Amino acid sequence: MFDGLKDKLSGFREDVEESTDSEPTADDPETAGDEPDAADAAAGDSDDGPGTFQRAKAFATGRIIIEEEDLEEPLWNLEMALLESDVEMSVAERILDSVRESMLGESRKQVETTGELVESALHDALLDVIAVGQFDFEERIAAADKPVVIVFTGVNGVGKTTSIAKLSEWLGDRGYSSVLANGDTYRAGANEQIREHADRLDRDLISHDQGGDPAAVIYDGVEYAEANDVDVVLGDTAGRLHTSDDLMAQLEKIDRVVDPDMTLFVDEAVAGQDAVNRAKEFNDAAAIDGAILTKADADSSGGAAISVAYVTGKPILFLGTGQGYDDITRFDPEALVESLLDEE
Ligand SMILES: Nc1nc2c(ncn2[C@@H]2O[C@H](COP(=O)(O)OP(=O)(O)OP(=O)(O)O)[C@@H](O)[C@H]2O)c(=O)[nH]1
Ligand SMILES: [Mg+2]
């Protein structure tokens, strides 16, 4: 998963190692910087002297000192790599700032190798953006008054209905009953599609005729759950663009009438930057509580997985990893960061 990004992150490590690997001596002018330019020359040797001396001393004592200029090119390459992997611009900048900060100045800490310093800087910088807003989903379900009402939103074809079926299975595995409510009264065939899932999973389904009011369907789902002691109502909605005013007004009505405990935004990991933009737009239009990224099994750049939480302030809660009902996993920021930095 996210192999492209993984390669690029290890490229950064190599870049830094390369730009810091020549062991400097106080009288070796080459070590003052890789590409001495006119400004360096004009400033004279007085700028380079103490830095070089410090570094030589650090080498002598086994410490590693990274100079600003060692990082310039690697950081630029890292920025390009992140952007190419569809990491959102503000997120890439945040990552660069954290990496720079933890590798320079204060943190000239004792580490074994430059590689380790890079690894720990990248680890902290990535976790900082990926883990934004995380909460324990299962604990929240356990603690909430029943029924817990969850509504799923997003654009067409990203995997909302499939994710509902998977989540129903996931909840069942943990002892929670659920009912499906088909708020997609818009698309022809939507009832039949979710009916198939409900039948296969042996779940009850609340649906109205095509063209009906989605808020009314989900409301009926809640009443059904209350009457039958069902723990969770999973409310589907039609795929929509955040720009389709009528459909967005429907979401507001669902919010008003049903007041769901959670609204989860669903999008595809493979949509990269588009998924990031849509998450932000949906969150602005009707606040979401978290996101599900589907199709993480397909070869995706990883940009969405890294950016969505930072950009929306809401966590990614699940990854969809295939078409089967079991192909859903809790999104674990620490595990993702470790796998991105794992050298095998
Ligand atoms: N490989 C893979 N395919 C998935 C995943 N999640 C959903 N799909 C597939 O994506 C297609 C669309 O899924 P749906 O659940 O119908 O998407 P939707 O968002 O409900 O679509 P609309 O109701 O039309 O807006 C189906 O063929 C699913 O099997 C996933 O995690 N991995
Ligand atoms: Mg659907």
Side-chain angles (χ1 to χ4, degrees), residues 161-162 165 180 193-202 325:
T161 307
T162 311
L180 315 187
Q193 187 198 2
I194 197 168
R195 161 70 59 202
E196 261 185 47
H197 290 302
D199 287 349
R200 259 187 252 151
L201 291 167
D202 196 22
Y325 292 133

Side-chain angles (χ1 to χ4, degrees), residues 329-344:
T329 48
R330 234 342 233 124
F331 182 74
D332 179 348
E334 180 68 49
L336 174 61
V337 171
E338 275 171 25
S339 88
L340 286 173
L341 297 178
D342 183 19
E343 292 241 66
E344 256 123 285

Side-chain angles (χ1 to χ4, degrees), residues 220-292:
D220 281 358
V222 178
E223 292 210 312
Y224 179 90
E226 280 167 354
N228 295 279
D229 262 339
V230 176
D231 297 319
V232 182
V233 179
L234 299 169
D236 204 354
T237 63
R240 69 201 65 216
L241 294 173
H242 76 286
T243 46
S244 57
D245 292 342
D246 286 358
L247 288 168
M248 290 313 277
Q250 275 185 359
L251 287 187
E252 278 159 40
K253 186 170 177 194
I254 292 173
D255 265 349
R256 224 172 34 243
V257 173
V258 181
D259 190 19
D261 297 281
M262 275 186 242
T263 300
L264 299 186
F265 170 76
V266 183
D267 214 314
E268 310 170 333
V270 277
Q273 184 74 46
D274 287 341
V276 180
N277 293 339
R278 294 193 290 240
K280 191 169 167 351
E281 284 153 358
F282 270 79
N283 188 43
D284 289 347
I288 63 170
D289 296 283
I292 297 180

Side-chain angles (χ1 to χ4, degrees), residues 156-162 166 187 193 239 295 297 320-323:
N156 292 89
V158 289
K160 295 178 294 300
T161 307
T162 311
K166 290 175 178 180
R187 185 167 61 77
Q193 187 198 2
K295 309 185 192 182
D297 49 310
T321 54
Q323 308 212 30

Side-chain angles (χ1 to χ4, degrees), residues 172-190:
D173 289 345
R174 285 156 185 80
Y176 298 100
S177 55
S178 55
V179 59
L180 315 187
N182 186 23
D184 182 356
T185 54
Y186 187 77
R187 185 167 61 77

Side-chain angles (χ1 to χ4, degrees), residues 11-319:
F12 176 65
R13 185 175 6 216
E14 283 156 23
D15 278 359
V16 176
E17 278 170 342
E18 216 165 89
S19 70
T20 57
D21 70 354
S22 57
E23 188 165 322
T25 57
D27 56 8
D28 178 3
E30 283 306 305
T31 58
D34 285 347
E35 292 157 7
D37 58 16
D40 281 343
D45 281 341
S46 56
D47 264 2
D48 299 329
T52 309
F53 174 67
Q54 281 239 328
R55 193 192 280 188
K57 201 170 89 180
F59 265 97
T61 56
R63 289 199 321 149
I64 289 160
I65 289 197
I66 308 282
E67 306 284 355
E68 186 105 40
E69 67 255 30
D70 297 330
L71 287 186
E72 221 169 274
E73 199 181 322
L75 280 176
W76 196 84
N77 291 340
L78 177 64
E79 182 165 20
M80 290 306 113
L82 291 171
L83 296 178
E84 272 168 26
S85 296
D86 265 345
V87 173
E88 210 265 344
M89 176 78 89
S90 68
V91 180
E93 276 166 9
R94 169 84 186 203
I95 292 172
L96 292 194
D97 286 348
S98 331
V99 168
R100 188 182 290 111
E101 201 182 309
S102 61
M103 291 186 67
L104 296 172
E106 280 305 298
S107 60
R108 293 174 171 194
K109 54 194 163 196
Q110 186 100 31
V111 284
E112 301 261 300
T113 62
T114 307
E116 273 181 20
L117 180 59
V118 174
E119 179 141 347
S120 98
L122 275 178
H123 173 277
D124 295 354
L126 289 168
L127 197 62
D128 168 60
V129 293
I130 294 175
V132 169
Q134 272 297 328
F135 60 83
D136 188 326
F137 180 81
E138 193 177 348
E139 208 167 83
R140 190 167 292 191
I141 297 285
D145 288 342
K146 308 294 181 304
V148 184
V149 184
I150 309 178
V151 170
F152 297 74
T153 66
V155 301
N156 292 89
V158 289
K160 295 178 294 300
T161 307
T162 311
S163 296
I164 284 174
K166 290 175 178 180
L167 211 59
S168 178
E169 176 89 339
W170 189 92
L171 288 164
D173 289 345
R174 285 156 185 80
Y176 298 100
S177 55
S178 55
V179 59
L180 315 187
N182 186 23
D184 182 356
T185 54
Y186 187 77
R187 185 167 61 77
N191 274 341
E192 291 73 11
Q193 187 198 2
I194 197 168
R195 161 70 59 202
E196 261 185 47
H197 290 302
D199 287 349
R200 259 187 252 151
L201 291 167
D202 196 22
R203 300 292 191 268
D204 289 323
L205 168 70
I206 307 301
S207 62
H208 291 187
D209 289 342
Q210 192 187 355
D213 178 0
V217 186
I218 299 174
Y219 188 83
D220 281 358
V222 178
E223 292 210 312
Y224 179 90
E226 280 167 354
N228 295 279
D229 262 339
V230 176
D231 297 319
V232 182
V233 179
L234 299 169
D236 204 354
T237 63
R240 69 201 65 216
L241 294 173
H242 76 286
T243 46
S244 57
D245 292 342
D246 286 358
L247 288 168
M248 290 313 277
Q250 275 185 359
L251 287 187
E252 278 159 40
K253 186 170 177 194
I254 292 173
D255 265 349
R256 224 172 34 243
V257 173
V258 181
D259 190 19
D261 297 281
M262 275 186 242
T263 300
L264 299 186
F265 170 76
V266 183
D267 214 314
E268 310 170 333
V270 277
Q273 184 74 46
D274 287 341
V276 180
N277 293 339
R278 294 193 290 240
K280 191 169 167 351
E281 284 153 358
F282 270 79
N283 188 43
D284 289 347
I288 63 170
D289 296 283
I292 297 180
L293 275 190
T294 60
K295 309 185 192 182
D297 49 310
D299 183 29
S300 66
S301 58
I306 289 186
S307 309
V308 163
Y310 185 75
V311 166
T312 60
K314 308 294 166 55
I316 297 173
L317 294 170
F318 291 94
L319 287 181

